[in-house]
Amino acid sequence: MLPPRKLADNIIEAYNSASPEMYVSNKVKGTAWETKQVREANAGIRCRLRQARTTRADKDWSELRSHQAEYNRLVGRTKKQKFREFCMKLEAKIKLQKNISNY
């Protein structure tokens, strides 16, 4: 029988050799539906918000609201499109797996 310390060392060594090292990235992933167009629209809204806050003009506030509505429509369309693409890819994978399993 092995001494407890040697047994623990063997278990740790076996675990480390059996499990690969994981790479952990510090990069924050964006959302799947966030495209360049959505990011640009969001930046435009922030710019208009700063402008409206500094000038306090009704024209700037109404322009901000119209751009926010346009941004929200863009986000909705983009989310819907990306979800459809995801579903189509998933269906294609399922069909492929069914074809492979039939052989």
Side-chain angles (χ1 to χ4, degrees):
M1 183 158 183
L2 291 173
R5 184 66 196 153
K6 187 151 182 130
L7 179 63
D9 289 341
N10 286 344
I11 291 173
I12 291 171
E13 183 181 332
Y15 173 78
N16 288 335
S17 65
S19 60
E21 289 188 32
M22 300 274 299
Y23 173 73
V24 179
S25 173
N26 62 353
K27 181 180 177 184
V28 177
K29 287 187 176 181
T31 56
W33 52 266
E34 189 177 34
T35 61
K36 182 179 178 184
Q37 190 177 14
V38 171
R39 285 191 299 272
E40 288 174 355
N42 190 15
I45 286 176
R46 288 194 311 269
C47 177
R48 284 176 177 78
L49 176 63
R50 283 192 302 272
Q51 182 180 359
R53 283 182 176 167
T54 56
T55 63
R56 297 184 183 202
D58 290 335
K59 177 186 168 199
D60 290 333
W61 287 107
S62 63
E63 186 178 324
L64 172 67
R65 281 191 294 275
S66 67
H67 278 83
Q68 281 178 326
E70 184 181 327
Y71 171 77
N72 289 333
R73 284 192 295 271
L74 175 65
V75 167
R77 283 193 308 265
T78 307
K79 281 183 177 182
K80 192 181 294 185
Q81 177 188 2
K82 291 292 184 176
F83 186 70
R84 282 183 182 149
E85 289 174 8
F86 170 75
C87 290
M88 292 176 83
K89 288 179 185 177
L90 192 61
E91 287 175 356
K93 282 184 180 180
I94 290 171
K95 286 180 183 178
L96 182 63
Q97 286 177 349
K98 284 183 180 179
N99 289 340
I100 289 173
S101 66
N102 287 338
Y103 289 109

